[in-house]
């Protein structure tokens, strides 16, 4: 309840499209609200889909703020943007950056846009409803996670980081992905506790939640190992079959979208297969690259600050004095969350 109240206050205060790539996420939510699951590409143009011109006009009011912390949204701009209506006319818009994301976790936000159009709300009201339903879904998912397993204090501390509250309050995929990740870990620890007595409901919750996260966040693909570990603890062959189905689905989705998503000209056009082959055949190059990254103070400090919270388009930092305080508090909560006697 407290998490929902805090994120709701953030959502009410933060102007539209302040989170990184939120324009692209909202386009994808709109496409899903019209039943478009996969992005389309015409004659090798970058992938995307049809978007209402009213939504694009609404976005235009906030585009100047993107990546420009000194640029504020004026009262006149907010008033004018609130008058924008759904037009019923469409244009093809690129949203290739979201092409590999399985869209299920966009569903709450997409539902808000669908309801807004159906109820003849303004685009602004529809967007706000989309935000509300997304953070409501996050709160409900986290409530289920808490009921399934007693979460340690450090998990609540991580959820309370400014960066996470900011992302949950925005209309992006990160909030629902974060909440679903926490649910998957609650289900996993419940399986480790119940073992052979694990209910099918808990195991399916584990498999489905990990599938949804891994299918939209490639860096979480190693989580697909956890259902197999859980199946081994439950001594249930059917559970192992569910785990295998999850792997097949996620890998099929990932490989399909990688192969069929057309990106604009840029870094994504690099020969990633060639780079991977080079790293495998010359592992020293990879070690050197990793070392250079970890010893680059500008990169490491950016990771540290953004982990706690650099809001906006990574251009709205907190006062510098707050970062060490929050980091020390987080470490303190982590230490109190470790029970040495229960380490097996």
């Amino acid at each position: 309840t407290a998490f929902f109240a805090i994120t709701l206050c953030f959502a009410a205060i933060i102007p539209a499209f302040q989170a990184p790539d939120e324009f692209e996420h909202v386009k994808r939510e709109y496409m899903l609200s019209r039943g478009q699951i996969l992005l389309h590409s015409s004659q090798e143009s970058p992938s995307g889909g049809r978007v209402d011109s009213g939504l694009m006009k609404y976005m235009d009011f906030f585009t100047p703020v993107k990546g420009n912390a000194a640029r504020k949204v004026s009262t006149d701009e907010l008033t004018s943007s609130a008058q924008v209506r759904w037009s019923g006319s469409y244009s093809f818009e690129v949203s290739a950056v979201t092409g590999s994301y399985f869209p299920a976790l966009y569903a709450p936000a997409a539902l808000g846009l669908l309801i807004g159009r159906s109820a003849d709300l303004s685009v602004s009201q529809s967007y706000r409803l989309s935000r509300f339903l997304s953070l409501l879904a996050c709160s409900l998912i986290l409530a289920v996670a808490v009921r399934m397993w007693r979460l340690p204090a450090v998990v609540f501390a991580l959820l309370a980081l400014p960066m996470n509250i900011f992302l949950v309050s925005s209309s992006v995929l990160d909030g629902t992905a974060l909440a679903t990740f926490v649910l998957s870990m609650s289900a996993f620890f419940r399986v480790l506790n119940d073992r052979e007595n694990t209910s099918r409901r808990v195991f399916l919750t584990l498999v489905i939640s990990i599938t949804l996260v891994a299918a939209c966040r490639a860096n979480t693909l190693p989580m697909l190992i956890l259902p197999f570990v859980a199946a081994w603890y439950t001594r249930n062959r059917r559970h192992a079959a569910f785990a295998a189905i999850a792997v097949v689905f996620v890998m099929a989705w990932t490989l399909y979208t990688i192969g069929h998503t057309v990106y604009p000209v840029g870094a994504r056009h690099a020969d990633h297969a060639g780079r991977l082959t080079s790293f495998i055949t010359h592992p020293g190059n990879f070690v050197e690259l990793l070392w250079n990254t970890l010893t680059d103070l500008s990169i490491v400090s950016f990771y540290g600050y953004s982990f706690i919270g650099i809001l906006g388009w990574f251009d709205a930092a907190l006062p510098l004095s707050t970062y060490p305080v929050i980091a020390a508090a987080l470490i303190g909560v982590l230490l109190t969350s470790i029970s040495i006697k229960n380490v097996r």
Side-chain angles (χ1 to χ4, degrees), residues 15 61-62 65 71-81:
F61 284 97
F62 302 93
V65 185
R71 173 68 158 82
K72 307 301 180 183
V73 181
S74 68
T75 302
D76 290 341
E77 288 174 320
L78 289 176
T79 301
S80 298
S81 67

Side-chain angles (χ1 to χ4, degrees), residues 116-139:
R117 290 201 319 273
S118 303
D120 197 28
L121 301 179
S122 68
V123 176
S124 177
Q125 291 170 328
S126 303
Y127 169 82
R128 290 291 176 178
L129 178 60
S130 170
R131 255 192 189 182
F132 173 78
L133 291 183
S134 182
L135 72 88
L136 177 62
C138 292
S139 300

Side-chain angles (χ1 to χ4, degrees), residues 43-320:
Q43 299 178 346
E44 292 303 309
S45 64
S47 299
R50 282 159 42 97
V51 178
D52 190 286
S53 59
L55 177 58
M56 297 308 300
K57 182 179 179 181
Y58 179 68
M59 289 181 178
D60 288 341
F61 284 97
F62 302 93
T63 302
V65 185
K66 174 182 175 181
N68 186 2
R71 173 68 158 82
K72 307 301 180 183
V73 181
S74 68
T75 302
D76 290 341
E77 288 174 320
L78 289 176
T79 301
S80 298
S81 67
Q83 308 304 315
V84 178
R85 314 294 299 186
W86 296 104
S87 68
S89 60
Y90 307 94
S91 60
F92 184 88
E93 300 295 334
V94 173
S95 186
V97 70
T98 67
S100 62
Y101 301 159
F102 186 67
L105 296 181
Y106 281 123
L111 178 61
L113 295 178
L114 176 61
I115 294 174
R117 290 201 319 273
S118 303
D120 197 28
L121 301 179
S122 68
V123 176
S124 177
Q125 291 170 328
S126 303
Y127 169 82
R128 290 291 176 178
L129 178 60
S130 170
R131 255 192 189 182
F132 173 78
L133 291 183
S134 182
L135 72 88
L136 177 62
C138 292
S139 300
L140 293 175
I141 292 171
L142 290 173
V144 173
V146 171
R147 290 183 61 87
M148 186 166 291
W149 185 253
R150 183 180 178 183
L151 302 179
V154 69
V155 175
F156 294 104
L158 288 169
L159 290 172
L161 287 175
M163 196 73 206
N164 287 331
I165 292 178
F166 171 68
L167 291 173
V168 171
S169 305
S170 305
S171 191
V172 293
L173 187 67
D174 301 74
T176 47
L178 173 65
T180 306
F181 170 80
V182 175
L183 176 61
S184 69
M185 297 310 298
S186 290
F188 180 69
F189 280 99
R190 179 66 181 270
V191 170
L192 297 190
N193 181 76
D194 295 350
R195 299 186 177 233
E196 290 89 345
N197 297 321
T198 299
S199 68
R200 179 174 295 182
R201 175 181 60 84
V202 171
F203 193 86
L204 287 178
T205 299
L206 169 67
V207 173
I208 293 172
S209 57
I210 286 180
T211 299
L212 293 177
V213 173
C216 68
R217 285 289 182 261
N219 59 305
T220 64
L221 286 175
M223 288 179 63
L224 292 170
I225 298 173
L226 296 185
F228 290 100
V229 176
W232 184 81
Y233 272 97
T234 61
R235 302 295 193 271
N236 190 314
R237 292 184 178 180
R238 185 173 295 180
H239 289 173
F242 286 142
I245 291 172
V247 171
V248 171
F249 173 80
V250 172
M251 295 310 298
W253 169 267
T254 302
L255 294 175
Y256 178 84
T257 53
I258 288 176
H260 289 77
T261 301
V262 181
Y263 294 98
V265 176
R268 291 178 183 267
H269 276 266
D271 183 4
H272 296 299
R275 294 174 66 188
L276 179 60
T277 302
S278 175
F279 287 146
I280 293 174
T281 56
H282 301 86
N285 292 345
F286 174 75
V287 173
E288 181 182 3
L289 177 65
L290 181 62
W291 175 256
N292 290 339
T293 301
L294 296 178
T295 55
D296 188 318
L297 292 180
S298 62
I299 294 177
V300 173
S301 62
F302 171 75
Y303 283 154
Y305 287 136
S306 60
F307 178 77
I308 293 173
I310 302 179
L311 310 186
W313 289 73
F314 293 119
D315 58 0
L318 305 174
L320 289 179

Side-chain angles (χ1 to χ4, degrees), residues 325-338:
V325 174
I326 294 176
L330 186 60
I331 293 172
V333 174
L334 172 62
L335 294 176
T336 62
S337 299
I338 298 174

